Amino acid sequence: MTSPDLVAFDLDDTLAPSKGAIDPRIASLLLALMQRVEVAIISGGNETQFRSQVVAQLGEIDATTAARLHLLPTCGTRYLRHDGADFTPVYAQDLTAEQKTGALTALREEAERLGLWEAEPWGDILEDRGSQITFSALGQKAPHDAKRDWDPSGAKREALRDAVAARLPDLEVRSGGSTSIDITLSGIDKAYGMRQLAEHTGIPLTSMLFYGDRLDEGGNDYPVRAIGVPSVAVEGWEDTADKLDALLPTL
């Protein structure tokens, strides 16, 4: 596709290093895109991460431009739009207190049983993101290199995901980033978020273009490709930037 009406992105390892701020080059490219088309970001990170990793790096932008940016943190379980003053929720599919407790307990117990509970992590291993419970094997603040080397084959994440999913049949349990497992309400993943984008913007899925680093079957970006959104696989933010340099002149 050379002329999408909306361009969407995964965040970590697509627009930025995991939990890191976007590079000025990416910021410039996103701003250029927003002058031409709608732009969306959908990822497992929470709202605070979206604001620090992306929004704060874009600088002062006018309300018209900001209105073209759609933020879907926690894998699309939340959707934020700019109301002229700030990004405010369109919806939030929050877990109940009982669901959160069950998810947190299952993650810790199964990680310990499988020998995947880190004794000295970089920050919290478990996080309640309201609409998503997230397990980060090495901690929320683990350095990029350590995260990259922890589970290159994905076998650890797959084993933990399967064990936790068996205990939580009424919730969605999926592999997230390079060291994470995400838990949301059943049926809510990035495909859900993209369908919500289509509903709220009136832009068909086939008129969107998605960039992600885990479009392989089983990857957390795969649901987007599976519902028919034209998708581009990338390997890090630099690759994304190069591909956007090629896309912009066609818009």
Side-chain angles (χ1 to χ4, degrees):
M1 175 182 291
T2 57
S3 56
D5 295 318
L6 182 149
V7 180
F9 302 91
D10 172 48
L11 179 51
D12 287 347
D13 298 320
T14 296
L15 288 178
S18 182
K19 293 190 173 61
I22 59 172
D23 186 86
R25 182 184 174 196
I26 287 289
S28 177
L29 288 165
L30 290 177
L31 290 168
L33 271 178
M34 283 187 275
Q35 300 303 314
R36 297 163 171 81
V37 296
E38 303 290 310
V39 173
I41 301 172
I42 181 168
S43 190
N46 61 26
E47 180 180 335
T48 299
Q49 288 172 296
F50 271 57
R51 290 181 181 274
S52 63
Q53 287 180 260
V54 180
V55 176
Q57 311 307 317
L58 296 176
E60 295 293 329
I61 55 177
D62 61 82
T64 300
T65 302
R68 287 189 159 195
L69 180 59
H70 308 256
L71 303 178
L72 294 97
T74 50
C75 294
T77 59
R78 292 175 180 265
Y79 179 16
L80 307 174
R81 292 289 305 275
H82 202 273
D83 63 4
D86 197 3
F87 287 94
T88 58
V90 174
Y91 67 73
Q93 303 288 3
D94 288 342
L95 296 160
T96 66
E98 183 178 4
Q99 288 170 328
K100 292 177 182 180
T101 298
L104 291 166
T105 300
L107 281 167
R108 173 145 196 165
E109 290 180 355
E110 293 304 321
E112 289 177 339
R113 183 181 66 82
L114 293 168
L116 300 177
W117 188 266
E118 180 65 37
E120 298 182 2
W122 288 275
D124 293 335
I125 292 175
L126 297 174
E127 182 184 4
D128 176 357
R129 297 179 176 177
S131 53
Q132 178 176 291
I133 297 297
T134 295
F135 167 91
S136 297
L138 302 180
Q140 292 291 330
K141 299 178 181 179
H144 178 71
D145 288 349
K147 294 172 68 173
R148 180 196 62 206
D149 296 338
W150 181 73
D151 185 26
S153 71
K156 294 178 182 177
R157 280 169 291 156
E158 182 178 357
L160 181 57
R161 193 217 73 81
D162 290 349
V164 173
R167 293 180 54 169
L168 304 172
D170 297 328
L171 295 177
E172 191 81 25
V173 184
R174 73 182 71 83
S175 172
S178 56
T179 64
S180 63
I181 300 294
D182 296 325
I183 299 176
T184 63
L185 292 174
S186 182
I188 299 184
D189 56 13
K190 288 186 178 180
Y192 172 87
M194 296 302 288
R195 289 192 178 104
Q196 288 295 312
L197 271 179
E199 179 178 331
H200 286 275
T201 64
I203 298 172
L205 295 173
T206 52
S207 295
M208 299 179 182
L209 184 62
F210 176 76
Y211 290 80
D213 70 307
R214 295 200 59 210
L215 286 163
D216 54 298
E217 189 166 359
N220 65 350
D221 295 323
Y222 178 75
V224 179
R225 190 180 77 178
I227 59 170
V229 178
S231 300
V232 179
V234 297
E235 297 180 359
W237 72 264
E238 297 94 339
D239 187 27
T240 302
D242 290 342
K243 287 180 166 63
L244 290 180
D245 279 336
L247 175 69
L248 279 166
T250 71
L251 300 177

